Amino acid sequence: QVQLVESGGGSVQAGGSLRLSCVVYGYDVTRDDMGWIRQAPGRNREGVAVIDSDGSTGYLPSMMGRFTISKDVAKNTLYLQMNSLKPEDTAMYYCATDLRLDPLWFRYQGRGTQVTVSS
């Protein structure tokens, strides 16, 4: 059974940083593309960042230069370092497997961790 457990969310002021973690059970993080998606209130889910089996990364343009995705294969854990946060980054962030950013598609997701950025 695949289980993804996110943590690291919280409340920060604009310009601050957070590091999200996702511990993955029942699925090898090297198997396929994995990444992060988010959903803000009243908005559709959108892809944030993806990392493939070889470690290559991809981001939506609004996240490039601010967010960094990485993984620790030994810990089977995915990370998202978020810097220079903006109020529009406020959302529930989810870890996802078999992720394609655009169009958005994934197979499994976790329960999410809330990120709130105040101005």
Side-chain angles (χ1 to χ4, degrees):
Q1 181 178 357
V2 178
Q3 186 178 10
L4 301 91
V5 181
E6 303 94 336
S7 62
S11 297
V12 297
Q13 290 191 326
S17 298
L18 285 172
R19 188 191 193 209
L20 306 184
S21 299
C22 172
V23 181
V24 183
Y25 302 95
Y27 187 98
D28 188 337
V29 296
T30 64
R31 172 178 159 180
D32 202 324
D33 295 8
M34 290 198 64
W36 295 88
I37 59 178
R38 71 184 185 183
Q39 186 167 21
R43 301 187 64 178
N44 293 330
R45 280 177 298 194
E46 63 176 349
V48 174
V50 63
I51 185 165
D52 71 14
S53 57
D54 294 329
S56 297
T57 60
Y59 304 89
L60 284 191
S62 60
M63 288 74 169
M64 289 189 69
R66 300 191 301 123
F67 292 7
T68 303
I69 188 171
S70 62
K71 61 184 176 183
D72 186 325
V73 175
K75 295 181 178 179
N76 218 43
T77 298
L78 198 67
Y79 302 100
L80 184 69
Q81 177 67 44
M82 305 187 295
N83 299 327
S84 302
L85 283 162
K86 305 175 182 180
E88 51 264 42
D89 294 319
T90 294
M92 185 72 81
Y93 285 72
Y94 303 89
C95 176
T97 70
D98 307 278
L99 176 64
R100 306 295 182 263
L101 289 184
D102 188 18
L104 181 63
W105 189 89
F106 56 91
R107 188 175 302 275
Y108 300 105
Q109 71 169 62
R111 299 182 69 175
T113 186
Q114 177 68 40
V115 172
T116 302
V117 185
S118 58
S119 57

